[in-house]
Amino acid sequence: MASKEGKEKAKGPAVQLKTPKGTRDWTGADMILRDEIFTTITDVFKRHGAVPLDTPVFELKEVLAGKYGEDSRLIYDLADQGGELTALRYDLTVPFARWLAMNKVQQIKRYQIAKVYRRDQPAVARGRMREFYQCDFDIAGVYDRMIPDAEILRVIYEIFEALKEQIVIKLNHRQILDGIFAVSGVPADKIRAISSAVDKLDKVPWADVKKEMVEEKGLEEAVADRIGEYVKHSGDIPTIVSLLKADESLFANADIKQGVEDMELLTSFLDAFGVPGKKISFDLSLCRGLDYYTGLIFEVIAQPSAAADATAPAAGGKPAKKKGGAEEIQVGSIAAGGRYDNLVGMYGKTQIPCVGISFGVDRIFTIMKAKREKEEGKSRVRETDVYVMAFGGGNFNGLLKERMSIARRLWDAGIKAEFAAKTKPRLPQQFKAAEDVPLGVILGEDELANGQVRLKQLGSGSGEADEKDRGQLVSEDDLVAEIKKLLI
Amino acid sequence: MASKEGKEKAKGPAVQLKTPKGTRDWTGADMILRDEIFTTITDVFKRHGAVPLDTPVFELKEVLAGKYGEDSRLIYDLADQGGELTALRYDLTVPFARWLAMNKVQQIKRYQIAKVYRRDQPAVARGRMREFYQCDFDIAGVYDRMIPDAEILRVIYEIFEALKEQIVIKLNHRQILDGIFAVSGVPADKIRAISSAVDKLDKVPWADVKKEMVEEKGLEEAVADRIGEYVKHSGDIPTIVSLLKADESLFANADIKQGVEDMELLTSFLDAFGVPGKKISFDLSLCRGLDYYTGLIFEVIAQPSAAADATAPAAGGKPAKKKGGAEEIQVGSIAAGGRYDNLVGMYGKTQIPCVGISFGVDRIFTIMKAKREKEEGKSRVRETDVYVMAFGGGNFNGLLKERMSIARRLWDAGIKAEFAAKTKPRLPQQFKAAEDVPLGVILGEDELANGQVRLKQLGSGSGEADEKDRGQLVSEDDLVAEIKKLLI
């Protein structure tokens, strides 16, 4: 054996022990917190009638082609090893659209929780990775205006209530935005380019955005200034709606008129759904980069909790533009989405309108972890409820088979149990291994001779004190019932 | 909108609407059955104290290099787009070994449920895909002989009991196998090649295996015949152990002696763990292809259930070699694993002995789906418990906001509820949409004026009969409580 190992090691230079750039392993408390977030989100998705979908991690290259604009350069290709050309999925929206078209699905609420891949510059501390999870919920089908859109916003609200995270949902409407650009005098062929410049307003000041529009994208300065006047506005929906209606040149635009009607409908639906107005900010500067949005668009911004505010900025937080006098701490958007009515039609004959939201779980995780570490300290990693141990005197034989038999009884009853995989384990070792386990079953030869074992609550520090107190005597046959009582 | 859609469509030829070869989408009843299998397996893993691990879908190429022998050609490489060279994971064992070495973990029970990738010839009907799930459970660390090995076998037993699948666990021991080859006269440098020939014995007859050994691999015919005499034996552990002990030339070999001692220990541990002897077959022809096994190896074979036996062969089943007179139906192995004590040492200075099992969930799924379709017919796809609908007379306004408010009440109480996303839905449409939903809440203007709604059990066929019976009157404030009573 030893020689074989030597041979294998001699094969080449030592392997670099790391995960690829921008990726990480998940385990322990991190993994448990992440699973908790998944479960919370999934529960809400199911509450709204969504069904799960799972698609392959790679798609045919032609399926992804032409969907992501400038960001296509971030797609991970698989090597051409003969056969089809494929690439790792970039998001969950395009695979969903492909699936809808392929299966001619007319309407569905579906969710998908899966990893997506982007060859972007990673920023690990802020939770921006090359491999990361997205949780998507989309409503596909022909329905009456703004009803599914409002339900998506209700889903967002419900999820962050369940996660106990303070958020604001920024809203805008692509038709309103397009109308503003048209009224301001942006040529039709420049609208997407100007839109992507305005999209940067949450990261850079207006002067820089204007410079990009005028110098890089060749927009007339007067046009840029008119845009600047409009997109600086944000507030609750009724306020911004009044503002748009009051401006005759804007409201004469058919796109804007339609968009404003949508926003008014939305207000009344959100009211019926019990989504508080203070959670919503109608922000005329919100654009969303991707090309495929056609109606309502939204982005969820985490708000620092009162507690975090009083102590330190959130992990990776940076001060953003001043708004209403108070300085906001921003950790970027933690969920985003919108209406995309034309994407499915790119794959087939049938157009299926869709609206959806994608949760950036890794960023939500980053925020929740920072908060939890402050509040709680360390959490349990494994779920084992009972540790089966043995003690004995001079010619102690370790009671291995007896420990195995007891563990078997517990497993048969569905109880999470472990024991030391040693023939003759020492008692302190066993207590150490049981450190984070709530109950101990302790076997001794004398007790076993009477068909009894000792049952003991651990976790009182499980040191020497624990070793002395050996718990209550319980008959072997009552053990499962007694343990179940204590675990409730 | 229409013009934009037209423009996008005109961009290029129609995209091929398919998933890449050997991959598939999962949804509906399939997805729910698969999740059920995952949950059952995960519950057993946790019952044994295992913690979850999640690793990236791709690893550095050098991490995968030299681990899979001939099968390395099946690895999916990512394209070289600058930066590191990476490849999709081929299994979950090598990433686990990399993680152990990287984090200097001394001992752990870990599980991982994730997709793995092999550029193999797909056989979709038999559940062999290029992208498929594995569920792995491994015990790493220095423990006393055969204790973790026995626990792995107990985990296998527990999982298939929980899944209600009949299985046999085939066992062998690499040291016994190596001893048999040595005693038979196989030169040391040919042992792995001969081993991989013998491994084919469950698929091809002995004559073909012998031909491969003699003609392709240059083994003396007399040596091949001696091997043939040994590897034809299988049976319960005590029978094969007696047979090995009775053969003096075999038992004089140190490897075989050690292996036999292990198998004897194992028998007594399996007894303590309550794993029935009839579930185990000690099969001297079992080799397992991969190089890294060093001790006990095992493979789980699904047994056709009595019912399936009486009707038709299982999906993709094929008759295998005759054994004891009865013809077995084989669907291939549905789980496999073994002890690998040297793999982690290939990455670092510390050797960490491991033993583990990998469940081929897609094959388990294929078997269970075939059985379930025979037994149960269609199963529910979404989990919605309540459908909120409205009915009314001539100038019926659809009660949209009222339906939204009621849905909101239900969501607030954690109840899974839906409603038609139409302003004025027709009643038959609403009943149709509620086809697989157990409860209906029906709103009417008169009832609402009295603060009441109607609550109705659906699912009695939900056709015209349903539309006439409009259920019991319930006050809006009692609705949640009444629904919760009915859902228990």
Side-chain angles (χ1 to χ4, degrees), chain B residues 201 204-215 224-225 228:
Chain B
L201 262 182
V204 299
W206 167 249
D208 294 358
V209 170
K210 182 179 166 184
K211 203 173 156 194
E212 178 179 335
M213 293 198 287
V214 175
E215 293 180 15
D225 286 338

Side-chain angles (χ1 to χ4, degrees), chain B residues 148-331:
Chain B
D149 310 60
E151 188 166 0
I152 295 281
L153 298 183
R154 163 77 201 194
V155 163
I156 297 171
Y157 167 70
E158 236 172 289
I159 282 174
F160 287 106
E161 286 295 298
L163 292 173
K164 298 191 179 64
E165 286 301 324
Q166 296 304 313
I167 53 141
V168 164
I169 308 172
K170 282 194 198 176
L171 296 182
N172 201 357
H173 195 297
R174 271 280 163 95
Q175 282 179 274
I176 293 176
L177 211 46
D178 287 353
I180 286 175
F181 293 142
V183 171
S184 302
V186 179
D189 62 338
K190 287 202 167 116
I191 282 186
R192 281 285 82 83
I194 296 307
S195 176
S196 94
V198 173
D199 197 40
K200 292 169 187 155
L201 262 182
D202 61 337
K203 298 191 190 80
V204 299
W206 167 249
D208 294 358
V209 170
K210 182 179 166 184
K211 203 173 156 194
E212 178 179 335
M213 293 198 287
V214 175
E215 293 180 15
E216 287 174 39
K217 291 177 173 161
L219 200 67
E220 280 177 47
E221 200 173 336
V223 175
D225 286 338
R226 277 197 292 274
I227 293 172
E229 275 311 299
Y230 291 127
V231 300
K232 74 181 181 193
H233 295 289
S234 68
D236 56 27
I237 306 182
T239 304
I240 305 299
V241 162
S242 308
L243 196 138
L244 292 169
K245 279 180 151 176
D247 188 321
E248 273 176 40
S249 63
L250 285 185
F251 205 61
N253 178 286
D255 273 339
I256 292 183
K257 198 156 179 294
Q258 174 69 66
V260 166
E261 274 175 35
D262 280 354
M263 297 307 281
E264 285 180 320
L265 261 183
L266 185 66
T267 312
S268 84
F269 294 162
L270 290 178
D271 182 54
F273 279 156
V275 179
K278 68 173 169 23
K279 293 279 176 190
I280 306 285
S281 167
F282 186 176
D283 186 332
L284 292 177
S285 74
L286 180 72
C287 294
R288 306 280 311 124
L290 295 178
D291 286 357
Y292 52 60
Y293 291 115
T294 54
L296 190 73
I297 49 179
F298 34 84
E299 217 170 85
V300 180
I301 311 295
Q303 300 295 102
S305 63
D309 215 13
T311 52
K318 51 164 193 161
K321 59 176 172 180
K322 291 213 178 198
K323 242 182 202 176
E327 191 151 55
E328 283 177 17
I329 304 288
Q330 290 212 342
V331 293

Side-chain angles (χ1 to χ4, degrees), chain A residues 1 4-5 8-9 11 15-21 23-28 31 34 46-49 51-60 62-63 66 75-79 81-82 84 86 88 98-99 101-102 109 115 117 119 131 133 142-144 147 151 154 158 192 268-269 272-274 294 342 345-349 351 381-384 400-401 404-405 408 411-412 414-419 421-424, chain B residues 1 4-5 8-9 11 15-21 23-28 31 34 46-49 51-60 62-63 66 75-79 81-82 84 86 88 98-99 101-102 109 115 117 119 131 133 142-144 147 151 154 158 192 268-269 272-274 294 342 345-349 351 381-384 400-401 404-405 408 411-412 414-419 421-424:
Chain A
M1 292 288 137
K4 196 202 256 172
E5 182 202 337
E8 279 160 348
K9 272 193 182 168
K11 268 181 190 165
V15 169
Q16 224 188 328
L17 281 176
K18 63 185 282 295
T19 60
K21 185 176 174 181
T23 71
R24 55 164 292 193
D25 299 315
W26 288 82
T27 187
M31 180 89 181
R34 199 183 68 180
K46 287 182 181 170
R47 202 178 294 156
H48 287 261
V51 297
L53 171 69
D54 177 33
T55 61
V57 79
F58 47 81
E59 295 275 347
L60 295 180
E62 61 185 44
V63 166
I75 293 175
Y76 272 98
D77 293 333
L78 268 77
Q81 295 170 290
E84 301 160 335
T86 57
L88 297 186
R98 188 265 304 151
W99 176 83
M102 181 173 145
K109 286 178 185 167
K115 287 174 175 175
Y117 299 88
R119 291 175 38 81
E131 172 181 69
Y133 264 99
V142 176
Y143 300 106
D144 284 340
I147 305 177
E151 188 167 359
R154 164 75 200 194
E158 237 172 289
R192 281 284 82 85
S268 84
F269 294 162
F273 279 157
T294 55
N342 299 333
M346 291 171 77
Y347 295 110
K349 280 171 193 157
Q351 201 56 275
V381 165
R382 61 182 173 165
E383 297 181 12
T384 309
L400 174 59
K401 289 187 63 178
M404 286 178 157
S405 292
R408 169 212 168 171
W411 293 333
D412 280 343
I415 294 167
K416 296 172 191 130
E418 287 191 275
F419 63 92
K422 296 270 183 190
T423 310
K424 293 185 191 179
Chain B
M1 291 288 138
K4 196 202 256 169
E5 183 202 336
E8 278 159 347
K9 273 194 180 168
K11 268 180 191 165
V15 170
Q16 224 188 330
L17 280 178
K18 62 185 283 293
T19 60
K21 185 175 175 183
T23 69
R24 57 165 290 195
D25 298 315
W26 289 83
T27 188
M31 180 88 181
R34 199 183 69 179
K46 285 182 182 169
R47 202 178 294 156
H48 287 261
V51 297
L53 170 70
D54 176 34
T55 62
V57 80
F58 47 81
E59 294 276 347
L60 295 181
E62 60 184 45
V63 166
I75 293 175
Y76 272 97
D77 292 333
L78 269 77
Q81 295 171 290
E84 300 159 336
T86 57
L88 297 186
R98 188 266 305 150
W99 177 82
M102 183 174 144
K109 286 179 185 166
K115 287 174 175 174
Y117 298 87
R119 290 174 38 80
E131 172 182 69
Y133 263 100
V142 176
Y143 299 106
D144 284 340
I147 304 176
E151 188 166 0
R154 163 77 201 194
E158 236 172 289
R192 281 285 82 83
S268 84
F269 294 162
F273 279 156
T294 54
N342 300 333
M346 291 169 78
Y347 294 110
K349 281 172 193 156
Q351 201 54 276
V381 165
R382 60 182 174 165
E383 298 180 13
T384 309
L400 174 59
K401 288 187 64 179
M404 287 178 157
S405 291
R408 169 212 169 172
W411 294 332
D412 280 343
I415 294 167
K416 296 173 189 127
E418 287 192 275
F419 64 92
K422 297 269 181 190
T423 310
K424 292 185 191 178

Side-chain angles (χ1 to χ4, degrees), chain A residues 303-443:
Chain A
Q303 300 294 101
S305 62
D309 214 14
T311 52
K318 52 165 191 158
K321 58 178 171 178
K322 291 214 178 195
K323 243 182 199 174
E327 191 151 55
E328 282 177 16
I329 304 288
Q330 290 212 342
V331 293
S333 77
I334 53 177
R339 173 162 287 283
Y340 52 102
D341 285 349
N342 299 333
L343 185 62
V344 181
M346 291 171 77
Y347 295 110
K349 280 171 193 157
T350 321
Q351 201 56 275
I352 301 169
C354 297
V355 58
I357 175 77
S358 180
F359 293 85
V361 192
D362 292 342
R363 288 188 184 183
I364 296 171
F365 167 85
T366 303
I367 296 169
M368 289 185 68
K369 185 182 171 185
K371 217 165 64 177
R372 199 161 285 204
E373 275 170 356
K374 218 180 293 170
E375 288 167 6
E376 293 175 20
K378 270 199 157 182
S379 49
R380 270 184 81 192
V381 165
R382 61 182 173 165
E383 297 181 12
T384 309
D385 285 322
V386 182
Y387 203 90
V388 181
M389 31 188 137
F391 73 101
N395 52 0
F396 176 52
N397 74 358
L399 297 172
L400 174 59
K401 289 187 63 178
E402 290 76 6
R403 284 182 284 134
M404 286 178 157
S405 292
I406 293 290
R408 169 212 168 171
R409 262 182 202 248
L410 304 184
W411 293 333
D412 280 343
I415 294 167
K416 296 172 191 130
E418 287 191 275
F419 63 92
K422 296 270 183 190
T423 310
K424 293 185 191 179
R426 292 188 309 119
L427 199 56
Q429 283 178 334
Q430 296 178 81
F431 271 106
K432 190 162 172 19
E435 235 167 30
D436 58 343
V437 177
L439 294 176
V441 171
I442 307 178
L443 312 192

